[in-house]
Amino acid sequence: MVLDWLEALKVLIIGIVEGITEWLPISSTGHMLLVDEVLHLNGSDSFKETFFVVIQLGAILAVVVLFWKKMWPFQKPGPGRPLIKPDLLQIWLKVALACVPGAIAAVLLDDLVEARLTTPTVIALALVFYGVAFLIVETWNKKRTPRIRTMEQIDWKTAFAIGLFQVLSIVPGTSRSGSTIIGALLLGVSRVAAAEFTFFMAVPVMFGLSFLKLLKFGFHFTGGELGILLLGMVVAFLVSLAVIRFLMSYIRKHDFKAFGWYRIVLGLVLLIYFLVLK
């Protein structure tokens, strides 16, 4: 595979889509697969499956850069200052617990999902279903006061329950951030705390999924395939830097209903296109 200017343009577009949609609760994988329906990125099916996961590492690195001080658990030891920050260590242990259900689901069901559920129709239905879910949950939440306002207040039971909700995201079109945020809101977590916990969970989840995909593909990349991966990751990283800042500012003043309506409209348009017009 040769990375010519046309393929580079396709990767640039997909990287922009990934950078925008990875952190908004509207399904990055679903959007990238749908964009590929139009652009038709060259390469084998196995490479494209790997690409659509590994490209997300660029977006994950943006989170690490922006939240480095909040995520890095080590500090210079001294009198009364242990090497590892106790509060942050506890947060990471809770994140690890929350990741267990999703990791088990990914190992057991990944092949089934790729074979049966990675279709435009399934993606469209998932977009609509969880769009409606966001509207219902946010309407219900208007009458409630969050019992957990900061990420540090998330207890072990709540962390594990959030992880169970993330299992839903194994279906393309659901959105990892969307499923965990909906779950967290239902459990009484504030929007900001839910988003931050989602960011923390995304780091080990995406590194783990990328490793599994690379292991399955076999690390046998051509020069063109390696160029595609690197270009996609760089673009996703740069776009994610801006999108994450926007999202954290947005949710401090607004709810997630706008994203719910977007999902519904996009899902219905896609259903009409793929089931009626195509």
Side-chain angles (χ1 to χ4, degrees), residues 132-246:
V132 173
F134 264 116
L135 298 182
I136 294 173
V137 170
E138 285 289 19
T139 300
W140 181 51
N141 259 355
K142 280 189 174 181
K143 304 175 183 178
R144 304 169 67 211
T145 300
R147 66 181 181 86
I148 298 174
R149 293 189 173 275
T150 66
M151 185 174 59
E152 290 75 12
Q153 294 174 344
I154 294 177
D155 54 48
W156 295 93
K157 182 178 178 181
T158 302
F160 184 72
I162 292 173
L164 292 175
F165 275 96
Q166 193 185 61
V167 173
L168 299 172
S169 67
I170 195 171
V171 178
T174 299
S175 169
R176 271 183 303 278
S177 61
S179 60
T180 52
I181 287 172
I182 285 178
L185 293 177
L186 286 172
L187 294 167
V189 181
S190 71
R191 294 187 190 92
V192 172
E196 289 183 346
F197 195 73
T198 297
F199 292 161
F200 269 67
M201 285 184 67
V203 174
V205 166
M206 287 315 306
F207 273 109
L209 287 176
S210 296
F211 176 75
L212 289 175
K213 285 293 182 182
L214 290 171
L215 194 64
K216 183 177 179 180
F217 187 78
F219 297 91
H220 304 304
F221 296 109
T222 66
E225 288 171 341
L226 188 59
I228 285 176
L229 285 175
L230 293 177
L231 177 59
M233 288 175 60
V234 169
V235 174
F237 169 78
L238 295 175
V239 175
S240 289
L241 290 175
V243 172
I244 294 169
R245 290 190 179 100
F246 160 77

Side-chain angles (χ1 to χ4, degrees), residues 20-271:
I20 293 173
T21 59
E22 178 64 38
W23 305 112
L24 305 182
I26 54 179
S27 177
S28 61
T29 302
H31 276 74
M32 286 193 294
L33 290 172
L34 292 170
V35 168
D36 188 52
E37 281 284 322
V38 178
L39 298 180
H40 302 295
L41 185 69
N42 288 336
S44 65
D45 290 340
S46 60
F47 169 71
K48 289 202 286 187
E49 289 170 5
T50 302
F51 170 74
F52 287 131
V53 173
V54 176
I55 188 180
Q56 297 174 65
L57 282 179
I60 298 304
L61 290 176
V63 163
V64 174
V65 169
L66 291 175
F67 287 83
W68 177 256
K69 290 184 178 179
K70 196 163 188 175
M71 286 185 168
W72 186 245
F74 301 102
Q75 61 184 352
K76 185 178 180 180
R81 284 169 55 91
L83 176 63
I84 301 177
K85 303 172 186 176
D87 292 343
L88 193 50
L89 174 62
Q90 191 172 80
I91 289 176
W92 275 117
L93 290 175
K94 291 174 183 176
V95 167
L97 176 64
C99 290
V100 170
I104 294 173
V107 171
L108 296 179
L109 302 176
D110 186 58
D111 290 339
L112 175 64
V113 170
E114 288 181 359
R116 301 289 182 86
L117 298 181
T118 308
T119 67
T121 301
V122 170
I123 293 170
L125 289 173
L127 284 168
V128 173
F129 179 83
Y130 288 100
V132 173
F134 264 116
L135 298 182
I136 294 173
V137 170
E138 285 289 19
T139 300
W140 181 51
N141 259 355
K142 280 189 174 181
K143 304 175 183 178
R144 304 169 67 211
T145 300
R147 66 181 181 86
I148 298 174
R149 293 189 173 275
T150 66
M151 185 174 59
E152 290 75 12
Q153 294 174 344
I154 294 177
D155 54 48
W156 295 93
K157 182 178 178 181
T158 302
F160 184 72
I162 292 173
L164 292 175
F165 275 96
Q166 193 185 61
V167 173
L168 299 172
S169 67
I170 195 171
V171 178
T174 299
S175 169
R176 271 183 303 278
S177 61
S179 60
T180 52
I181 287 172
I182 285 178
L185 293 177
L186 286 172
L187 294 167
V189 181
S190 71
R191 294 187 190 92
V192 172
E196 289 183 346
F197 195 73
T198 297
F199 292 161
F200 269 67
M201 285 184 67
V203 174
V205 166
M206 287 315 306
F207 273 109
L209 287 176
S210 296
F211 176 75
L212 289 175
K213 285 293 182 182
L214 290 171
L215 194 64
K216 183 177 179 180
F217 187 78
F219 297 91
H220 304 304
F221 296 109
T222 66
E225 288 171 341
L226 188 59
I228 285 176
L229 285 175
L230 293 177
L231 177 59
M233 288 175 60
V234 169
V235 174
F237 169 78
L238 295 175
V239 175
S240 289
L241 290 175
V243 172
I244 294 169
R245 290 190 179 100
F246 160 77
L247 180 63
M248 295 309 297
S249 174
Y250 179 88
I251 61 177
R252 285 185 171 88
K253 301 177 182 178
H254 306 86
D255 59 26
F256 288 100
K257 282 187 176 181
F259 301 114
W261 283 116
Y262 170 82
R263 293 179 63 108
I264 293 170
V265 171
L266 178 61
L268 291 176
V269 169
L270 293 174
L271 282 174

